[in-house]
Structures are given as C-alpha cells and as structure tokens.
Amino acid sequence: MAQQHLDPPTSPPAGTAPAVPAGPGPEGAPIGDALAGYLRAQATEFLRSLRQHRETGNAAGDAGDAARSLRRSARRISGSLHTFRPLLDADWSESMRPELAWLSGTLAREHAYAARLERLLGALNRLSGTTALPAQAGSAPAAPKGNLTVGAAKAGALLDRQLTLARTRAHSAALQALGSSRFHAVADSVAVLASEVPLAPAADTTDLRPLARAAQDRLADAVTALPLVTAGHPYNAEALVHGLSADTAPQPQDAPWHQVRLLLRLHRYAHEVLNGGQCPADGRLLGAGQALNRHRDAAEAAAAAAAAARTPRIAPATAYALGVLHADQRHEVEAARFAFQQAWQKEAVPTP
Amino acid sequence: MAQQHLDPPTSPPAGTAPAVPAGPGPEGAPIGDALAGYLRAQATEFLRSLRQHRETGNAAGDAGDAARSLRRSARRISGSLHTFRPLLDADWSESMRPELAWLSGTLAREHAYAARLERLLGALNRLSGTTALPAQAGSAPAAPKGNLTVGAAKAGALLDRQLTLARTRAHSAALQALGSSRFHAVADSVAVLASEVPLAPAADTTDLRPLARAAQDRLADAVTALPLVTAGHPYNAEALVHGLSADTAPQPQDAPWHQVRLLLRLHRYAHEVLNGGQCPADGRLLGAGQALNRHRDAAEAAAAAAAAARTPRIAPATAYALGVLHADQRHEVEAARFAFQQAWQKEAVPTP
C-alpha cells in the first residue's frame, strides 16, 4: 500500500501538462481558490514526475528529465507555501517546506555536478583555442584532447575524476533518498495536497495580491542592495577581488546575488499563482533569472577549480591551468552580474 | 670634441618647452618650413634631455624623466621622417630611423620592466583583497604582504626576482648604449638636425597635408580591420582564447592592436607637425591612445606571468596564483579593447 499515494486523484496522461484551474473570475480578487488550484496542479505534476522517474529507472536522460520536473514542482509548492503562508494551515506548512527543500536539494546534486564538469571542460577547450566538444546527452563530455597543453589536459582529467566521483556519489544518495521512509512521508503529504489543500479559515476571504506584492517588494529591496552601479560598468574587476585571498570559503560577495536569485523565483511563482499557473511572458524577468543562474553556475565552477588546485602533489602546470580556469569563471560571474544589471534596468517591475 | 654636438644652436633653459615655430601662414598650405621647424624643435629637445640625463647621472627619478623625454623626441623625429619622407633627403632619412628606433628601444626597456612589475604586484594585491601599496618613486614597489596566500606571496616574490633582474640588465645595457660610438653617431646626426634639416628640393613646394592624410588613412584602415564589433560587446571572452594553448609565442590576436597603437602615434605626430608642434586637444584620440597603451602593458604583463609559471620547480600554489594573474591581465587586455572601441566610436576623425 506504500505505492498508493502515487496515484493522484486526477491522473493526466503522461507527458501533458496538468490541468491548471482558471484564474480569478472577472468580478473578484484572487483568493484561496486560486492558491488551492495551483498547489493541486503542482502536486499532481510532482506525482506524475515521480511515477515517470520510477518507470524510467536508470535510463540517464529520461530519469534526468523526470528528476528535473520533480524538483520544478517541489520548488513551486515550497515557494507558494512560503509566500501565501497566512492562507494555509501553519503547522502543516512549516513542516512541509524543509522536507521539500531536502528532496529537491538531494535530487539536484547529481545534475549539478554533471553540468559543472561540462562547463569547466568547455571552458578549458575554449581557453585552449579548440572548439568545444558537443556534450553527450546524459554523460559527461569527453576530456579535452588535441591542442591542449599538458597542464590543461591534466587539469581536465583531474576535474573529470573529482566531479565524476562526486556525481556518482550524488546519484547513489538520490537513489537512497527515493527509497527512504523520509521520502515516502513527503510523497504522502504531496498526495494529500493533490486532492485536498489544507487552507486556513481565512483563505476564503483573503486577497492573494498583497501577499504576492510583498514577495515582489522583498525582491525589489534585495535588488536595491546589490552593487548594480558597479555591475553596470563593464570590466569592473570586482568578481576576482579576493580571488587569491587565503580564505577558502565561498566568496561572501556572491551571497546577495544568490539571495536575489531565490527571491526572483518566489516572485515568479507568486505571479503564476495569480495567473492560473502561467507565468506571464516577461523577457525582463526571464533574462534576469537566466543571468542569475549563470552567476550561480560560474561561481560554483570557479570554486571547483580552486578546490581541485588544492589537491596534493599536482604538477605546477596543472595548478597554473586551474588558476587560469578559476579566474575565467570568476569573470563569467562578473559578466553574469553585468547581464543581470542590463536586463533589470530595462523597465520597472509591473505590479501584479 | 665628441661632446660638442650636445650644445644645440638655440639652447632653451632646462625645464621649459623648446621654442616651436609658428604654423603655416594664413595664406598658404603648410610646406617644408613647418616640417623643418618641427624637426629642429624635437632635435633641440632631444639634446636638452640628453644633457639632463648626463647631469642627473644615476639619480633614478630624474634620469628616468630625462630618458622618457629623450625617447619622446626620438619617436617624434623618427615618425616625422616616416610620414613626410618625400620632403627629406632619402638616404639620410633611411639611415636615421633604425638608429633612433634602436636608441629609444634600448632606453625604454628599464622603465618597461619596472612598470610591468608594479602592474603585476598591484594586481596580486587587488586579487588578494588587500589595498594596493603605493609605489615608491624610482624603485619597484615592495612585494605584497599581509593577507596573501602563500601562493600569491611566492608568485609576487618570483616576479619581483625575475623582473628586477631584467630591469637591472636593461639599466646596464642602456648605460652601455649611451657610451657607445653607435650612440655618439646618432647624437651627432640629431645635433646636425637641430641646426639644419636636410630637406629634399621638393620641400619648398610640397603641401604637407596629403602626407598627413595618408598617415590618417593608414590608421583608419588598420582600425577597420580590428574586430571592433566583438570588442564592443563587454565580456566577449576573446582575449583569453588560446590562454592555455601550447603555443608560448606572444598572442597573434594582439598584433593588429599593437599596430594600430603605432599608427595612432604617427597620426598624432603628423598633426603636431601641421599645428606648429601642438597636438590639438582631442579627447577621442587621447582616450584611444591610452586604451592601446593599457592593452600593450596588460598583454606584456600577462606574458610575464605565463613565463614565470614556466620556471622549473615552483610550487603548485605559486603556479596557481600565476595562472589567476595571467587570466586577470588577459581580461585587462579585453577591457582595454572595449575602452578603445568606446573611445573610437565617439566621433569620426577630423580631417587635418
């Protein structure tokens, strides 16, 4: 009976988008109904992806798609619980969010290591003046060959070894997580959500828009605190400051940007709730979000190159190539901040 | 009698600019007169700087100023001989230019090594998040200390050792050159130039402007061949392509930019000839020239970091720091190209 929660009450054919409830009626403000509809749809999508993930088993590409889709729903459920907290049963909502974060974090890691390796090997090829090798779907790209210096080739092999190992471990951890009782408890909660959203008594009369606006204000405040004037000056050389400092912790200057990335997501999800599941096509938000994803990816790739350079007994040529690679990715960080600044200043955020 | 040529016919008080002949009369085009006046003034300035250099001896700062001033005049004489060739005695002009190039090249080296070391140590400090130490006049800045990683500190010490050695050798070479008979021959020729410019018979009737315009056209053609569209896109990541390729020769992608730097100078000097020794204040040309100087300095600093990384038996941490430093300077190269593109597109070159 442990599998019963995998059958959502309304089971859309696999591969199609779940039915999304209509937005607010023309006469009234969006209230609890709209939120409940959104959460039900995301829960249904979560369960569909989970079923797909089990069915595809270890077929790398399909399982990857299913995991991505699972994480996508988990993020949306978690984000909506946060933004629209006053409309939901508080205890349930509080207990649900960390579990969803644990699940999507665990599922994200394998993909993140694979993408990081691909980014770093691509950069090594670019830095060596060779054309980037096309990545094979579902597997790490081949280590760079040909015109590389010994240092670049060795750096590529070292990163390949380290990140492939990390990826394999993340894969095992994800499989273990999906078989755990902790996971079954999450899946049970989501199955309940797919049929019955635990709304608070106030949900029938609470306008969603002020809560969505508060999410937007939190985003706007966080963006205001960013050093956007500096970021808007090309080649400001900010991202590499501390690039050689003794501190090996993640760069503290990155944190406010990562925070804006999360707040931008919450803002988008709140938009979706108000718009019957659809995020209005907004090139500005899309561009800003993509820039912040690139910022995060480049920052983590730069950290991976720096970490690899601390491997004992590597050759100086390998360390040199990793230093070039680290600086290159930190410049990608700076480029991403510039791109965010450019996207953001295009026009003001429309009020929901 | 070897020193006699050091007394120019008109000897301005040391420290003041040499008397510059007036430009073309309002009624006629600038002809040979203007060129002869310009060359005489530059030759006088050359001899004044030479006397100053001998008097200051080894006092680093003053001798540096005198050497800079010597090179400045040598470049202007050489450039004018090139641009206005048809107005000058061909044999004399042909034999003079390589000698002036040898002299200013020999004198430039010591300063270049000192400036390169200062640039690299400043960058190491910036990359380590420490404030840059103020450079002491006439001596290399102290090696970076404090918050540096072992790698950055060792890289700084290695660069300090290598570039200080190169600078000391360049200093000896310059002293040796200034005592050589080859140098005395150059100085004699310049002394002749200060009193009597060997004009060709056609000089009295030849308009200088078409020759100046030809210099401008050569500049414009060379700029047209630059990848300015790419350079105008911030963070195009072009300058680091081949940053890790096996080829240790100077980056071939830099050559056209170095060439434009030289042509821009020739264009400026031709302007000076037409304007009675003054270069019209043109922020655009100034900005473009500064960007190209920065391009050259950063390219050479990046090459010095890469060369230091090939020192046998260095620690991996040192090599890593040099890799970061190399990439940082290549990004300075890219930033300088962007700055050139921005300066250049401001408005079209005014026709002389």
Side-chain angles (χ1 to χ4, degrees):
Chain A
M1 284 292 114
Q3 297 298 315
Q4 198 173 8
H5 58 248
L6 296 183
D7 296 316
T10 56
S11 181
T16 65
V20 165
E27 75 293 356
I31 54 169
D33 270 4
L35 175 61
Y38 182 80
L39 285 172
R40 272 197 302 272
Q42 292 302 331
T44 303
E45 176 63 15
F46 180 99
L47 298 170
R48 192 189 63 70
S49 308
L50 181 59
R51 209 171 42 242
Q52 191 193 337
H53 192 273
R54 286 179 191 275
E55 281 163 8
T56 53
N58 272 326
D62 292 343
D65 288 348
R68 204 171 351 258
S69 172
L70 249 177
R71 287 191 285 124
R72 189 177 179 280
S73 311
R75 282 199 309 265
R76 279 167 169 73
I77 295 169
S78 175
S80 306
L81 297 191
H82 179 72
T83 303
F84 300 105
R85 211 166 3 192
L87 282 83
L88 295 157
D89 180 274
D91 288 347
W92 172 81
S93 173
E94 294 288 299
S95 65
M96 187 87 172
R97 289 198 65 219
E99 295 307 291
L100 287 168
W102 163 75
L103 177 62
S104 64
T106 306
L107 292 179
R109 229 150 277 148
E110 179 183 358
H111 171 71
Y113 285 121
R116 199 167 304 157
L117 179 59
E118 187 173 345
R119 166 178 271 272
L120 286 166
L121 295 186
L124 275 177
N125 274 309
R126 173 168 48 77
L127 295 172
S128 307
T130 57
T131 37
L133 300 166
Q136 274 140 38
S139 75
K145 287 192 192 74
N147 197 25
L148 291 200
T149 53
V150 174
K154 279 190 172 177
L158 178 62
L159 289 166
D160 197 356
R161 215 156 51 234
Q162 294 187 341
L163 290 172
T164 301
L165 178 64
R167 184 181 164 220
T168 307
R169 283 188 181 146
H171 182 72
S172 307
L175 286 185
Q176 208 168 0
L178 289 173
S180 69
S181 59
R182 185 176 180 185
F183 171 72
H184 286 298
V186 184
D188 279 335
S189 297
V190 176
V192 169
L193 190 61
S195 61
E196 195 189 327
V197 176
L199 291 176
D204 283 349
T205 54
T206 306
D207 186 349
L208 297 180
R209 289 172 304 184
L211 295 169
R213 217 169 294 136
Q216 178 178 322
D217 290 347
R218 284 190 291 274
L219 169 63
D221 288 350
V223 171
T224 306
L226 291 177
L228 284 190
V229 174
T230 300
H233 283 108
Y235 301 107
N236 55 70
E238 267 305 302
L240 248 182
V241 167
H242 301 283
L244 282 177
S245 80
D247 197 356
T248 57
Q251 304 249 351
Q253 58 164 273
D254 296 348
W257 299 87
H258 295 331
Q259 179 66 9
V260 166
R261 181 173 164 273
L262 299 180
L263 292 173
L264 187 64
R265 262 190 188 168
L266 290 177
H267 168 60
R268 262 185 61 211
Y269 301 158
H271 248 279
E272 290 182 6
V273 169
L274 298 191
N275 289 279
Q278 303 299 317
C279 190
D282 182 341
R284 181 169 166 265
L285 283 186
L286 196 69
Q290 284 170 342
L292 293 171
N293 287 344
R294 185 173 153 216
H295 181 273
R296 197 260 327 254
D297 293 345
E300 294 186 342
R310 290 190 290 273
T311 308
R313 286 182 298 284
I314 56 172
T318 311
Y320 175 79
L322 290 168
V324 172
L325 190 57
H326 172 78
D328 175 70
Q329 291 300 304
R330 289 304 301 174
H331 274 101
E332 272 282 301
V333 165
E334 196 178 300
R337 291 180 191 169
F338 176 74
F340 175 83
Q341 190 272 346
Q342 296 281 303
W344 192 257
Q345 69 175 9
K346 269 188 187 150
E347 55 189 278
V349 190
T351 315
Chain B
M1 284 290 111
Q3 297 297 314
Q4 199 174 10
H5 58 248
L6 296 183
D7 296 315
T10 55
S11 181
T16 64
V20 165
E27 75 292 355
I31 54 170
D33 269 4
L35 175 61
Y38 182 81
L39 285 172
R40 272 195 303 270
Q42 293 302 330
T44 303
E45 177 64 14
F46 180 99
L47 298 170
R48 192 189 64 70
S49 308
L50 182 58
R51 209 173 40 244
Q52 192 193 336
H53 193 272
R54 285 178 192 276
E55 281 162 7
T56 53
N58 272 325
D62 292 342
D65 287 349
R68 202 167 359 252
S69 173
L70 251 177
R71 287 191 284 123
R72 190 177 179 279
S73 312
R75 281 200 308 266
R76 280 169 169 72
I77 295 169
S78 175
S80 306
L81 298 190
H82 179 73
T83 303
F84 300 105
R85 212 167 2 193
L87 282 81
L88 295 157
D89 180 272
D91 288 348
W92 172 81
S93 173
E94 293 287 300
S95 64
M96 188 89 173
R97 289 198 65 217
E99 295 307 293
L100 287 169
W102 162 75
L103 177 63
S104 63
T106 306
L107 292 179
R109 229 151 278 147
E110 179 182 359
H111 171 71
Y113 285 122
R116 200 167 304 157
L117 179 58
E118 187 174 343
R119 167 179 270 272
L120 286 166
L121 295 185
L124 275 176
N125 275 308
R126 173 168 47 78
L127 295 172
S128 307
T130 58
T131 38
L133 299 166
Q136 273 139 38
S139 74
K145 287 192 191 75
N147 197 26
L148 292 199
T149 53
V150 175
K154 281 190 171 176
L158 177 61
L159 290 166
D160 197 355
R161 215 156 50 234
Q162 295 187 340
L163 290 172
T164 301
L165 178 64
R167 185 182 163 220
T168 307
R169 285 189 180 147
H171 182 72
S172 308
L175 286 185
Q176 209 167 1
L178 289 174
S180 69
S181 58
R182 184 175 181 185
F183 171 72
H184 286 297
V186 183
D188 279 335
S189 297
V190 176
V192 170
L193 190 61
S195 60
E196 195 189 326
V197 176
L199 291 176
D204 283 347
T205 54
T206 306
D207 186 349
L208 296 181
R209 290 173 301 183
L211 294 168
R213 217 169 293 136
Q216 177 177 322
D217 290 347
R218 285 191 290 274
L219 169 63
D221 288 350
V223 171
T224 306
L226 291 176
L228 284 189
V229 174
T230 300
H233 283 108
Y235 301 108
N236 55 69
E238 266 306 302
L240 247 181
V241 166
H242 301 282
L244 282 177
S245 80
D247 197 357
T248 57
Q251 303 249 352
Q253 59 166 274
D254 296 348
W257 299 86
H258 296 331
Q259 180 65 10
V260 167
R261 181 174 164 272
L262 299 180
L263 293 172
L264 187 64
R265 264 190 187 169
L266 291 178
H267 168 60
R268 261 184 62 210
Y269 302 157
H271 249 278
E272 290 181 4
V273 170
L274 298 191
N275 289 278
Q278 304 298 316
C279 190
D282 181 340
R284 180 169 167 265
L285 283 186
L286 197 70
Q290 285 171 342
L292 293 172
N293 287 344
R294 185 174 154 213
H295 181 273
R296 197 261 325 252
D297 294 346
E300 293 186 344
R310 288 191 291 272
T311 308
R313 287 181 299 283
I314 55 173
T318 312
Y320 175 79
L322 290 169
V324 171
L325 190 56
H326 171 79
D328 175 69
Q329 292 301 305
R330 290 304 302 174
H331 274 100
E332 273 282 301
V333 166
E334 194 177 301
R337 291 181 191 169
F338 177 73
F340 175 83
Q341 190 272 346
Q342 297 282 301
W344 192 257
Q345 69 176 8
K346 269 186 187 154
E347 55 189 281
V349 190
T351 314

